[in-house]
């Protein structure tokens, strides 16, 4: 049984989230404040973390940043404020998705299922092929280490997943919608402009000149591809 951590100080919301997830056969634990949520999230016991942003003791932004340093399990941020969404995107916290309050419990469950499935696919891909190389890019799917011309680069969870997908589909043009479905696993349920933001971040880390990318190319009107060298 997959285990989910809910970090939420509103008892009514936490109860709804827990009940619907348990109805879908997930094991659920609730932490009602930031410090407890961080400690439980770092325990390594959970397959997914549902994290509210406004919490007593420690805010969700800080918790997410700290969690992502230690774990790559899916993290879904929950917010009631529209301005927080811009902040989430700007900070690049490494969260996998965000959900706005009020939300439909069925949508919450669908997103949880999608992210767990995507994480399982990504884990499976790591087991299938340990070492990938395209030109000067080397990616080890077991250690999650990425090197460019011998220099190690640090990629956030979704940046890594995007690069891995493109390396496994060399020279294939993938649309933003397809990449969003494959990496975020939400069947285009959200803002696929997120793909362009993540592509730009990857380019900044792997390209000699991000304005004139050698590896990840934009095919105008179609999408992106990783060019084989």
């Amino acid at each position: 049984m997959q285990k989910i951590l809910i970090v939420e100080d509103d008892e009514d919301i936490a109860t709804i989230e827990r009940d619907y997830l348990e109805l879908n056969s997930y094991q659920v634990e609730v932490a009602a404040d930031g410090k407890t949520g961080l400690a439980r999230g770092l325990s390594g016991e959970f397959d997914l973390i549902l994290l509210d942003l406004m919490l007593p003791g420690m805010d969700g932004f800080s918790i997410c940043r700290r969690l992502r340093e230690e774990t790559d399990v899916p993290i879904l941020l929950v917010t009631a404020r529209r301005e927080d969404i811009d902040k989430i995107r700007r900070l690049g916290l490494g969260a996998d998705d965000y959900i706005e309050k009020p939300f439909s419990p069925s949508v919450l469950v669908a997103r949880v299922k999608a992210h767990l499935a995507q994480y399982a696919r990504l884990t499976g891909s790591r087991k299938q092929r340990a070492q990938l190389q395209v030109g000067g890019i080397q990616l080890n799917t077991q250690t999650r280490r990425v090197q460019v011309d011998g220099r190690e680069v640090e990629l956030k969870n979704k940046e890594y997943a995007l690069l891995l997908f493109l390396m496994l589909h060399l020279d294939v043009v993938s649309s933003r919608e397809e990449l969003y479905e494959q990496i975020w696993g939400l069947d285009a349920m959200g803002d696929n402009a997120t793909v362009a933001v993540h592509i730009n971040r990857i380019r900044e880390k792997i390209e000699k000149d991000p304005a004139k990318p050698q590896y990840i190319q934009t095919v105008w009107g179609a999408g992106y591809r990783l060019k084989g060298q």
Side-chain angles (χ1 to χ4, degrees):
M1 184 179 290
Q2 291 172 302
K3 192 171 181 179
I4 296 172
L5 174 66
I6 296 173
V7 188
E8 171 64 69
D9 65 317
D10 187 312
E11 186 176 351
D12 291 337
I13 293 175
T15 298
I16 292 171
E17 293 172 340
R18 183 194 63 208
D19 289 351
Y20 272 83
L21 290 169
E22 288 181 342
L23 283 171
N24 283 270
S25 301
Y26 296 110
Q27 185 178 351
V28 181
E29 180 177 321
V30 177
D33 64 84
K35 290 183 179 179
T36 303
L38 176 60
R40 295 301 296 133
L42 291 173
S43 70
E45 298 179 22
F46 300 94
D47 299 289
L48 182 143
I49 299 169
L50 193 62
L51 175 62
D52 188 52
L53 286 177
M54 302 301 292
L55 294 163
M58 188 177 189
D59 66 77
F61 294 105
S62 301
I63 296 171
C64 183
R65 187 179 291 107
R66 180 71 182 89
L67 287 172
R68 191 48 81 215
E69 292 174 357
E70 302 292 335
T71 179
D72 63 354
V73 301
I75 300 173
L76 279 63
L77 301 179
V78 180
T79 178
R81 303 192 309 175
R82 184 68 191 179
E83 57 266 31
D84 283 339
I85 295 172
D86 294 330
K87 188 174 181 181
I88 292 168
R89 293 171 175 167
R90 187 173 67 251
L91 291 177
L93 300 171
D96 296 271
D97 196 9
Y98 60 84
I99 300 174
E100 290 184 73
K101 297 178 183 178
F103 52 80
S104 163
S106 61
V107 170
L108 170 68
V109 172
R111 294 201 181 188
V112 165
K113 287 182 177 179
H115 282 289
L116 287 170
Q118 166 60 24
Y119 185 67
R121 289 194 297 269
L122 179 58
T123 303
S125 296
R126 290 203 300 268
K127 292 178 180 177
Q128 290 166 15
R129 299 182 64 179
Q131 188 75 30
L132 302 174
Q133 181 161 358
V134 177
I137 304 174
Q138 291 183 326
L139 183 151
N140 188 299
T141 60
Q142 293 181 338
T143 64
R144 291 176 60 92
R145 293 179 65 184
V146 177
Q147 293 184 324
V148 180
D149 298 326
R151 171 181 57 88
E152 188 159 351
V153 298
E154 183 179 346
L155 299 180
K156 301 293 186 183
N157 193 38
K158 289 305 182 186
E159 295 168 2
Y160 172 85
L162 263 174
L163 181 60
L164 174 59
F165 181 85
L166 292 171
M167 291 183 77
L168 290 172
H169 299 82
L170 204 59
D171 289 319
V172 175
V173 178
S174 300
S175 68
R176 286 188 183 184
E177 291 76 16
E178 180 183 359
L179 290 171
Y180 195 86
E181 276 188 42
Q182 291 293 327
I183 305 306
W184 279 262
L186 301 177
D187 193 22
M189 185 193 299
D191 179 11
N192 61 41
T194 301
V195 173
V197 173
H198 282 71
I199 289 289
N200 288 336
R201 288 176 181 163
I202 297 171
R203 283 172 171 164
E204 290 173 359
K205 296 177 181 181
I206 70 171
E207 302 282 1
K208 291 181 179 178
D209 183 357
K212 298 178 181 178
Q214 172 187 357
Y215 293 109
I216 301 179
Q217 299 183 333
T218 300
V219 181
W220 297 109
Y224 303 97
R225 70 179 172 199
L226 185 70
K227 183 180 178 182
Q229 303 298 301

